[in-house]
Amino acid sequence: MKKVLIISPYFPPSNTPDMQRVRMSLPYFKQFGWEAEVVVVDSHYTDLQKDELLIQTIPVDIKIHTVKALNKSWTAKLGFGNIAFRSYAAYKQKVNELLGKEKFDLVYFSTTQFAICTLGAYWKKRFGIPYVIDMQDPWHSDYYRDKPKHQQPPKYWLSYRINKYLEPKAMLQVDGLISVSESYISVLKIGIRS
């Protein structure tokens, strides 16, 4: 049996779209020869809607590790309310600890909190462990670049530049990509080359 460490900042009882793929796939890892463990942000550090019934859908034999995150009321004042930025240091420390004492065959990122995916390259370099990213949505995008300012999302100027810098850090070393849309991967390949 191989071991996979799944990185999913949002997880039940938080009810978010980007954790549903992990939640729904967890019952099937074992039958395909993978023992799965998940590293999540403790739901006390999220301000999203909760559904306690979702916890009942997680197989009882799945080991779940939790990490803390910085308080959003502090970090949002600096423009960083995103859970990936708030939990980055805690993820790095916790997963370093896990990879240092246990053997895992793969790190699997499934989230739209993309900044956390940059840790894949770090763990690959430090521990020699491959990583896969599940591209649920496009990460760095030019979609709003030519739109009038009033049509751009809040903080678009900052997020555009951060994503343009971070995406290649994760993608140039990735060992595999999963996507529901071939176009996500095609756009990603073009973006990395340019």
Side-chain angles (χ1 to χ4, degrees), residues 13-63:
S14 294
N15 190 4
T16 61
D18 71 337
M19 70 82 191
Q20 301 296 347
R21 289 177 35 180
V22 170
R23 182 182 74 82
M24 296 298 290
S25 65
L26 279 174
Y28 303 99
F29 276 90
K30 196 161 269 184
Q31 78 183 62
F32 290 99
W34 290 90
E35 180 183 332
E37 295 185 19
V38 189
V39 186
V40 307
V41 174
D42 186 311
S43 64
H44 292 99
Y45 295 94
T46 69
D47 56 357
L48 301 173
Q49 184 177 358
K50 310 268 193 304
D51 182 348
E52 298 296 329
L53 292 175
L54 288 173
I55 296 170
Q56 296 174 21
T57 67
I58 305 301
V60 294
D61 61 337
I62 299 292
K63 192 182 284 188

Side-chain angles (χ1 to χ4, degrees), residues 7-193:
I7 308 298
S8 180
Y10 291 124
F11 197 72
S14 294
N15 190 4
T16 61
D18 71 337
M19 70 82 191
Q20 301 296 347
R21 289 177 35 180
V22 170
R23 182 182 74 82
M24 296 298 290
S25 65
L26 279 174
Y28 303 99
F29 276 90
K30 196 161 269 184
Q31 78 183 62
F32 290 99
W34 290 90
E35 180 183 332
E37 295 185 19
V38 189
V39 186
V40 307
V41 174
D42 186 311
S43 64
H44 292 99
Y45 295 94
T46 69
D47 56 357
L48 301 173
Q49 184 177 358
K50 310 268 193 304
D51 182 348
E52 298 296 329
L53 292 175
L54 288 173
I55 296 170
Q56 296 174 21
T57 67
I58 305 301
V60 294
D61 61 337
I62 299 292
K63 192 182 284 188
I64 300 167
H65 307 275
T66 58
V67 299
K68 295 179 179 180
L70 297 174
N71 188 311
K72 186 175 182 179
S73 64
W74 306 335
T75 62
K77 291 174 185 171
L78 302 172
F80 293 97
N82 181 295
I83 195 75
F85 293 117
R86 295 189 297 118
S87 64
Y88 193 91
Y91 257 110
K92 187 175 183 181
Q93 180 180 1
K94 180 67 171 183
V95 175
N96 281 353
E97 185 182 301
L98 291 171
L99 296 179
K101 67 181 182 184
E102 298 179 47
K103 183 188 182 315
F104 286 90
D105 300 283
L106 183 69
V107 174
Y108 171 51
F109 293 88
S110 185
T111 182
T112 57
Q113 308 308 306
F114 297 117
I116 208 74
C117 297
T118 61
L119 284 169
Y122 166 77
W123 291 323
K124 182 176 183 176
K125 183 176 182 180
R126 180 166 179 183
F127 297 99
I129 185 165
Y131 66 101
V132 169
I133 297 175
D134 176 8
M135 290 301 297
Q136 296 186 25
D137 286 320
W139 182 346
H140 174 63
S141 169
D142 287 331
Y143 179 78
Y144 290 103
R145 192 148 188 223
D146 298 330
K147 303 274 189 284
K149 191 162 183 73
H150 70 276
Q151 290 181 7
Q152 296 176 358
K155 301 182 215 161
Y156 176 71
W157 184 91
L158 179 61
S159 64
Y160 177 85
R161 280 150 184 79
I162 290 172
N163 290 338
K164 185 176 182 177
Y165 173 74
L166 293 180
E167 184 182 81
K169 292 206 167 295
M171 295 303 167
L172 290 173
Q173 299 296 318
V174 73
D175 294 281
L177 293 171
I178 298 172
S179 176
V180 294
S181 171
E182 180 64 35
S183 67
Y184 288 177
I185 294 176
S186 299
V187 167
L188 188 60
K189 287 178 183 173
I190 292 166
I192 296 294
R193 284 194 298 259

